[in-house]
Amino acid sequence: MIETAEDYREAVLSQQWWEKRSFVGCDFTEADLRGLRTQGCTFDQCDFTKVDFEGSRHEASAFRSCTFDRSVLAGTRWSSCSMLGSSFVDCRFQKVAFTECDLSLVSLSRNRLSKVDLSGLRLREANLTEADLTGADLRGADLTGARLAGAKFEGADLRGARIDANGLVQANLAGVHVDTETAVAYAAAHGLVIH
């Protein structure tokens, strides 16, 4: 059953278990989704503005082209989820855990992601412009085509991460932990001739 354009504004839906439910264009603005558990659910073009997700768990669920504006994501767990094309604005990411998730085409511009574990995630063509990734774990992440201008990476771990030449030119990687391959690619992207 697909729920289309349903109004869940300010609804209290905390501690519920949702399995294989589909939502299209639904409005969850200011809903209480604390402790919610989803498995195999799909959310397309849904609005999660000011939603409290604290402590929620999501497994194999898709949140495609959704809006997360000032949403509370503290203590949430996302496993094998797709966030394709979703937009995050001024969200709280404390103690968030992403495992094997696809964040391709996601907008995380200007969000504070310091010390967040983003290792192994797919962040292809993600917008990380002016995001604070200080101390973040990005080991093995796929940042191909990501927009990195103005992003803060100091102390971040980018060992094994995939970053194309454009990203290496945009990003300020001073104080970042990288492997030899990324260091060589960074030097080449900045015009050094390596012998």
Side-chain angles (χ1 to χ4, degrees):
M1 179 172 130
I2 299 174
E3 299 181 47
T4 305
E6 293 289 334
D7 186 352
Y8 293 100
R9 285 180 291 181
E10 300 182 12
V12 177
L13 303 166
S14 58
Q15 307 301 324
Q16 293 192 18
W17 169 264
W18 295 351
E19 189 173 4
K20 296 182 180 174
R21 291 178 66 177
S22 294
F23 302 85
V24 178
C26 296
D27 188 352
F28 290 89
T29 300
E30 296 191 67
D32 181 354
L33 300 180
R34 288 176 297 171
L36 173 70
R37 296 192 65 182
T38 68
Q39 184 169 22
C41 293
T42 59
F43 300 84
D44 290 291
Q45 299 174 354
C46 293
D47 189 346
F48 294 106
T49 297
K50 294 185 179 178
V51 166
D52 190 346
F53 281 98
E54 187 171 1
S56 63
R57 305 283 183 266
H58 308 278
E59 186 176 343
S61 292
F63 296 79
R64 296 180 291 243
S65 299
C66 293
T67 301
F68 296 83
D69 186 346
R70 291 161 286 165
S71 307
V72 177
L73 304 173
T76 57
R77 304 240 181 277
W78 311 77
S79 178
S80 301
C81 290
S82 171
M83 315 296 276
L84 183 71
S86 288
S87 174
F88 294 83
V89 179
D90 198 22
C91 294
R92 296 186 206 162
F93 284 94
Q94 299 94 335
K95 298 181 181 175
V96 173
F98 292 106
T99 307
E100 296 180 7
C101 291
D102 187 352
L103 278 70
S104 294
L105 298 168
V106 162
S107 177
L108 290 161
S109 177
R110 298 188 179 97
N111 277 277
R112 187 167 184 213
L113 298 158
S114 57
K115 298 184 180 175
V116 173
D117 185 352
L118 301 170
S119 60
L121 299 186
R122 188 175 215 179
L123 288 153
R124 286 184 172 202
E125 298 184 48
N127 181 3
L128 294 165
T129 306
E130 297 181 21
D132 182 358
L133 293 149
T134 307
D137 186 349
L138 288 152
R139 287 175 296 171
D142 185 352
L143 292 157
T144 308
R147 292 174 20 205
L148 305 175
K152 299 175 187 172
F153 284 99
E154 189 173 348
D157 194 338
L158 284 163
R159 288 175 290 179
R162 293 177 59 195
I163 308 174
D164 56 26
N166 190 44
L168 290 169
V169 170
Q170 290 177 25
N172 178 359
L173 299 182
V176 172
H177 303 275
V178 296
D179 52 26
T180 304
E181 186 177 334
T182 303
V184 170
Y186 180 81
H190 283 83
L192 293 181
V193 179
I194 300 166
H195 296 282

